[in-house]
Amino acid sequence: MASRKLVSLEQTEHLSWLAKVELSEEEKRVFTEQLNRILEFFRKLDEVDTSNVQPTYHVVELTNVFREDEPASPLPQEEALRNAAHKKNGYFVAPKIV
Amino acid sequence: MKRLLELTLFELVDALRRGNVSREDVVDAYLSRIKEVDSKLHAYLAVNEEMRSNSSSEGLLFNAPIAIKDNISTRGLPTTCASKILEGYIPPYDATTVARIKAEGGLIIGKTNMDEFAMGSSTENSAYGPTYNPWNLECVPGGSSGGSAAAVAAREAVASLGSDTGGSVRCPAAFCGVVGVKPTYGLVSRYGLVAYANSLEQIGPITRDVRDAALLLSVICGRDPNDSTSVDPPSKDYLSALVVDVKGLKAGIPKEFFGEGTDPRVAEAVWRAIKLLESHGMEYEEVSFPHLPYSLPAYYIIAMSEASSNLARYDGVRYGFSAFEEGEEWVKVFSKTRALGFGAEVKRRIILGTFALSAGYYDQYYLKALKVRTLIKGDFDCAFKKFDVLLAPTMPLPAFKIGERIEDPLAMYMVDIDTVPINLAGIPAISVPCGFVDGLPVGLQIMAAPFHEHVMFRVAYTYEQCSSYHNLKPPI
Amino acid sequence: MQQQQDVVIGLEVHVQLTSLKTKLFCSCPSDYRGKPPNTHTCPVCLGLPGSLPVVNKKAIEFAVMAALALNCQVSERAVFFRKNYFYVDMSKNFQISMYDRAGGTPIGRGGYVDIDVDGTRKRVRISRIQLEEDPARLVHLGPIELSPYTLVDYNRAGIALLEIVTEPDLSSPKEARIFLQKLRSILEHCGIFDGSLEGSMRCDANISLAGGARVEIKNITSFKEVERALSFEIARQRELLKRGQQVRRETRHWDEDRRMTFTLRVKEEEHDYRYFPEPDLVPIVITEDFIERVRSMMPELPDHRAERFMREYGLPEYDARVLTSEKALADFFEACVKLYPSPKKVSNWLMTDTMRVLNEYNLDWSSIKMEPEHLAELLKLMDDGVISIKIAKLLIFDVVLKGIPPSKLVEEKGMKRIVDENYLSQLIEKIFREFPKAVQDALKDEKAVHFLVGQVMRHTKGRADPALTNELIRRKLNELQRSS
Ligand SMILES: [Mg+2]
Ligand SMILES: [Zn+2]
């Protein structure tokens, strides 16, 4: 068990809502426990003084990589739709929104 | 002449171009080899029987059957990332690396098993069952590119592509006794590589020897207009770097790579390799990297954060598994699709990454990890002012038993201790076989400064030519 | 209009860069309107695994131009971020957008737009301008809440959007509409935007009343809708406050068909977007040179054009502002003045008669069929006495709506002015027989004369030459006077 509880069961629930991954009651319990252990391990970084350090977003420092505004042929409709589990009249079928 | 399956990529292409063997011979030999052993190894998730009839151009990889990790898009061939959520998904396009292999006449022999979405170090996290180590079927082949390494070791492919986010090429290469390269970040296009952690990962070759790795890397490298983070190297000719000569080269031996948790027999094998290179004129010196102990947490925070966003697209609408039911509301359907489609480790990383990026925690975790990354990169920058290469074990231990670590996520993360710093720093590294422990291969890791692959290859080639481990063949 | 000093409105406008040929991050053609669903897609805009975005260079140029046109400070370094949230119109379940962190800022900050409200100028501050990708288009079977599923068309997914955010400087729905019209005109003058394309300008509005919380309204799809949506929302909130109830902080959806807003989500469900720099894209550095190059390409903007109209054509300020409120209208005016060099007359006919036709049919300038040549011709036909002003006001309907040249209409409909003395004399005699009482009155009373002229006009559908008709009637009355 973690010495400090960094994540509560309710937080795990909220994270699963944010990430749109449904968790069973058992998963919530196990995940909360594992999350706390892993986060405790992550806290090792607290030891490092980074007060004057810039973050590294890219290891290769590139800027202004662009493409020209020239059209290329798109995928044919049937190719675009080929991998969809549900489709109708050329549209993808998604769940209802309200 | 060697038996066909024993030819290296370089030798096989040569034989094919000379007409000493035909494409039919090669394809038959490899397909029957897969039939013979893959039921035991499970290196493949899909085999491309159609490659018999595919036409190919006479290039550097003329008619050579190359296996592709299942997270690299192949037009017309399934690309599942070993996940249930991508079951049945067939990309309408080739990854740039795959297109480049095809343009040089290479054949795509099949798609190899892996940890789901490359999350793991043992290939046990595959939704389709684990891959087994060809040297010992009770052991893992390493991961996440376990299938790609096992296939090459077991002669099921002449070479393969893997992807390396935190060691996923080098770890299985070490565990399976083959050569694996993690190129400099940006050297190889990621277009078509299913993203796990974009800022860390590169596609790299897995081959039987160093020359094959140099050949395959020279084919797949270079700027791609479809990948904004890709660049051209000073020279793509890595074959000409292959000389047996390390005289005057300086190697740094970072102490932290031999620390607590390193199997002494692994350390010993690596030291023997260092001494061998020394006897050929290389100088070495031990060094210390103060921020190295922070690599693992920094790596996992960054990887999980990026992953949580990358994996959001799997909602069942456009491709892959879907729990859609008419009349059911979208949050419910998406959450159910993802609950049923992702495995436990993937869910764990998505949740952790979501946490590390969320309001109130971003600075403390994600931003902090990126700052630590700067310090780790600084350690390496500093070392490469003094040294041409750094030498270390690839893995702190030989392949472990299947099931031994899978229940404990942290124990599994710990085995990446020697590979993740390389991805954080964005530098190139190669793993070459350098010995055996309990009949299992050990890998020597050779790191170089960014875009200095030629130096890395030169040292690796010299070592290989002066040793014989790469000639050993797994018992399967 | 009622003073609404307690109303505070801020807008977040999304404008498609319709002049681009391709999408923001892929080479799919951007002309998706009217095309079959999912025919303008590729691995990138479908969010296929392994695909990567690449920035459209022209989009950056256009965004910088917009920033300059809206008087913004242009960023030296812009960084794309991922805005993480799930929704059915998202192909990746994150939107690539801009954000001010990681050493970057949005393309533009701290600008303003001056608008004219009931004759007074008002400055609306722009807090930021940035680039982002449009989501897919959703189609429902019947009303949203009854549809068992949602149909998704990714043709629109990835179209370059300019997000323009104002400070809460607007104080009425009317001001919001005027602001959007002005914005549209500015961007159209830049040549980066065509507001006549359906759904090319959409906005979300933040609105609060004194004593109530801030409410966000989403899904306002045009500047006509913005006035309706905000008026509804003000009425709703006022009613709540009047009854002593709370206005809660929430996000509401504007339902265009039912003309009402409804709750989308309350504050507790607000998103945590988990912004972080897009690792697949590199920072954009905007140099002083680049900005100068864009500035040098910048065409004349509406305010300058209005000033020029006043100077060059001697138009009153009101005319100049109205004419430049839409680029197409201003272009039309100038083209027409070239052919018919009487600016005030052209302006009058555009601002009153042409507008009247459009208003009557609820159309806007984009749907006009009239060419500048047509209006010039119409004005010339009047000058030449071929048609009366009444006929001209009649003809303009077919000219505006169908684009038929006025001369052809005059020919086809026989609309020429009647100057035939014989014909008119006979008609007048007939009318005199019909209205003997009016004729008697007309001998003494001028009003009755007008009545008789009106009868002639009625019979000739306004085509009788008024001067000649008048003269003939008076001649006839004189004859009667003498003979009696
Ligand atoms: Mg936006
Ligand atoms: Zn596209």
Side-chain angles (χ1 to χ4, degrees), chain B residues 25-208:
Chain B
D25 298 339
V26 174
V27 170
D28 285 344
Y30 274 100
L31 288 181
S32 40
R33 176 68 181 165
I34 291 172
K35 279 217 177 69
E36 184 194 333
V37 298
D38 209 55
S39 56
K40 288 179 221 137
L41 286 179
H42 195 227
Y44 282 95
L45 292 176
V47 175
N48 182 19
E49 303 276 350
E50 273 163 38
M51 70 173 171
R52 272 176 207 286
S53 49
N54 292 152
S55 65
S56 61
S57 51
E58 192 167 333
L60 292 168
L61 304 176
F62 184 52
N63 284 336
I66 293 167
I68 307 291
K69 188 179 181 180
D70 207 34
N71 62 346
I72 300 172
S73 291
T74 42
R75 192 193 162 95
L77 276 178
T79 300
T80 68
C81 296
S83 181
K84 196 187 166 202
I85 212 157
L86 274 175
E87 189 157 15
Y89 169 64
I90 296 178
Y93 77 106
D94 273 328
T96 300
T97 47
V98 171
R100 285 179 177 171
I101 286 173
K102 285 181 178 175
E104 289 295 343
L107 305 175
I108 307 304
I109 185 168
K111 303 303 292 289
T112 55
N113 201 7
M114 55 186 282
D115 286 296
E116 184 178 358
F117 284 102
M119 296 177 181
S121 312
S122 67
T123 315
E124 291 167 287
N125 288 330
S126 165
Y128 306 99
T131 295
Y132 299 85
N133 192 312
W135 293 89
N136 180 344
L137 295 176
E138 285 176 14
C139 289
V140 302
S144 65
S145 314
S148 284
V152 171
R155 277 59 176 159
E156 291 181 282
V158 69
S160 66
L161 290 186
S163 68
D164 192 313
T165 312
S168 286
V169 161
R170 289 159 291 152
C171 161
F175 281 7
C176 292
V178 291
V179 173
V181 174
K182 184 264 157 193
T184 305
Y185 186 85
L187 181 68
V188 177
S189 165
R190 290 181 295 114
Y191 188 71
L193 168 65
V194 181
Y196 155 30
N198 331 47
S199 78
L200 297 161
E201 61 208 5
Q202 281 285 291
I203 293 172
I206 296 176
T207 57
R208 292 195 208 146

Side-chain angles (χ1 to χ4, degrees), chain B residues 358-374:
Chain B
S358 63
Y361 297 99
Y362 180 92
D363 288 4
Q364 197 182 354
Y365 290 94
Y366 184 65
L367 194 64
K368 180 81 180 180
L370 292 179
K371 288 178 176 175
V372 172
R373 184 178 190 179
T374 305

Side-chain angles (χ1 to χ4, degrees), chain A residues 64 67 69 75 77 90 92 94-95, chain C residues 22 37-38 41 55 150 152 285:
Chain A
N64 294 0
R67 39 168 266 276
D69 184 31
L75 289 171
Q77 192 191 56
F92 291 86
Chain C
T22 67
N38 298 301
T41 71
V55 178
T150 310
V152 193
V285 173

Side-chain angles (χ1 to χ4, degrees), chain A residues 74, chain C residues 23 25-29 40-46 154 157-158:
Chain C
K23 296 184 179 182
F25 297 119
C26 64
S27 303
C28 284
H40 283 43
T41 71
C42 72
V44 178
C45 54
L46 282 177
Y154 291 92

Side-chain angles (χ1 to χ4, degrees), chain A residues 34 47-48 54 56 83 96, chain B residues 90 294 330 348 368 374:
Chain A
Q34 290 175 336
E47 295 167 15
V48 191
Q54 290 300 310
T56 295
N83 285 293
K96 58 186 279 164
Chain B
I90 296 178
Y294 305 101
W330 74 276
R348 195 152 40 233
K368 180 81 180 180
T374 305

Side-chain angles (χ1 to χ4, degrees), chain A residues 50-66:
Chain A
T50 52
S51 41
N52 291 310
V53 181
Q54 290 300 310
T56 295
Y57 296 103
H58 292 93
V59 281
V60 184
E61 282 191 34
L62 296 168
T63 57
N64 294 0
V65 178
F66 299 125

